[in-house]
Amino acid sequence: MTRSAILDAGSDFLRTRPFRDLTVGLLMAGTEYSRPTFYLYFNDLHGLMETLLGEVKGEIVDGARAWLSNEGNAISGLQQSLAALVEVAHEHGTILKAVADAAPSDARLERVWDTFLASFDEVVSARIAQDQAAGLTPEFDPLPVARALNRMDAGVLIQAFGSVEKAEKDKVLSAIMRIWLSTLYPFDATASLERIGD
Amino acid sequence: MTRSAILDAGSDFLRTRPFRDLTVGLLMAGTEYSRPTFYLYFNDLHGLMETLLGEVKGEIVDGARAWLSNEGNAISGLQQSLAALVEVAHEHGTILKAVADAAPSDARLERVWDTFLASFDEVVSARIAQDQAAGLTPEFDPLPVARALNRMDAGVLIQAFGSVEKAEKDKVLSAIMRIWLSTLYPFDATASLERIGD
DNA sequence: AGTTGTACTGACGCCATGTCAGAAATGCAG
DNA sequence: CTGCATTTCTGACATGGCGTCAGTACAACT
């Protein structure tokens, strides 16, 4: 109860102001509780961010399923997954930026964030290897490419949707879509990219 | 004199420890001066980071020239520029990570960092437009794609070379090279990528 | 030797943090 | 409704890094 009131106050704060402006005092001023109460439910502000990230993580994993659990066409699955990813990032962009901002100032949170990103490297890499075996994707070392594509997504999405003035979803989507498709499915990419237009 | 002693102490510190561990006291303990002396030459630690970034920026811009000032083959120019970029990032990775880490905790430095990244978006975007006019590159809105590719570079390079245990240069290079090439020069990409092998 | 200017430092106030002893509030047995 | 136990909360404190300022040490020039 109290705990989720604090989490809500945190989300609300970060919707309009950056993580660097967040203090325990300000945070708790957004609730009906006093400053020390915060420490009953979280170790520090970074602990709060860790919890907020956990909430968003679920949605992202769900959205990515279309491509990762490979049923149906690879290309359209990827298109679906990226679209879902953009959707979630647009929704929770401020939280994602806040976590990314907070991470470097705390060893533990930095680990959590890195692990979060690395978890996608694993699964994307696996899916690439599979498509390579199927002859859909050229041969190359999948892991570094997966890492690069994921870092791209993270950087782009946080930059585009991390603050109040958000970029246009469709421009962002078609840019990263193009890069994923031409890297992973170059043989079919031309057709697919023409289909979505530019 | 004193000023560059401080800068050196900063670089040295960041070579082995993250920005979050840097305090003015620790920094100046690495020099023969006292803590207040720091404030004679810099406003705060973020000001120091701004200066360090300025030093690295020059090298990066130099390295990128091969492709950006378009003389000769576009593909080999891009290959050269990316190789140079990886080289510089490998050299100064800890500084780049430290600046990226420090940026979100200071409004001014965040602006500097964003502007730094955005400056590459501009020139890359311009070069893409040119290659599109020449028929080398498919038609698409260049700016969002340039942004995405640049964020990828930043994310990958900082992750790969930001801490003491650095990743292998060639793996990193061939991954980002593949993505740039298949996105910008898909017609010739197959040949070029085979040439560098995997 | 005296004066001016520059480079430096000791000591201070400030602010956010995280803790702890104790105060309210809540629930429950008689 | 009363006394008691347990949970929830808070006022007050110590800590540590920050940024400042008055004042010292030192060099250079007259």
Side-chain angles (χ1 to χ4, degrees), chain B residues 43-153:
Chain B
N43 288 326
D44 52 27
L45 287 176
H46 296 95
L48 176 79
M49 299 314 299
E50 195 175 332
T51 305
L52 289 176
L53 175 61
E55 290 181 1
V56 177
K57 181 174 185 173
E59 291 196 46
I60 293 182
V61 171
D62 283 0
R65 225 180 348 233
W67 183 58
L68 292 175
S69 76
N70 41 313
E71 305 148 359
N73 184 272
I75 291 181
S76 64
L78 178 56
Q79 287 173 333
Q80 236 181 286
S81 285
L82 287 177
L85 181 64
V86 167
E87 202 56 48
V88 176
H90 185 263
E91 179 103 11
H92 302 295
T94 55
I95 300 282
L96 290 173
K97 170 157 169 55
V99 175
D101 282 357
S105 57
D106 181 75
R108 178 180 161 83
L109 185 61
E110 188 175 50
R111 262 189 68 85
V112 169
W113 179 245
D114 285 349
T115 307
F116 172 71
L117 292 182
S119 71
F120 295 102
D121 299 345
E122 302 290 339
V123 291
V124 166
S125 179
R127 172 70 213 229
I128 291 176
Q130 198 166 1
D131 287 339
Q132 287 176 325
L136 286 170
T137 299
E139 285 296 328
F140 53 79
D141 188 359
L143 187 56
V145 171
R147 247 203 284 268
L149 291 171
N150 284 330
R151 302 286 154 167
M152 173 183 79
D153 286 359

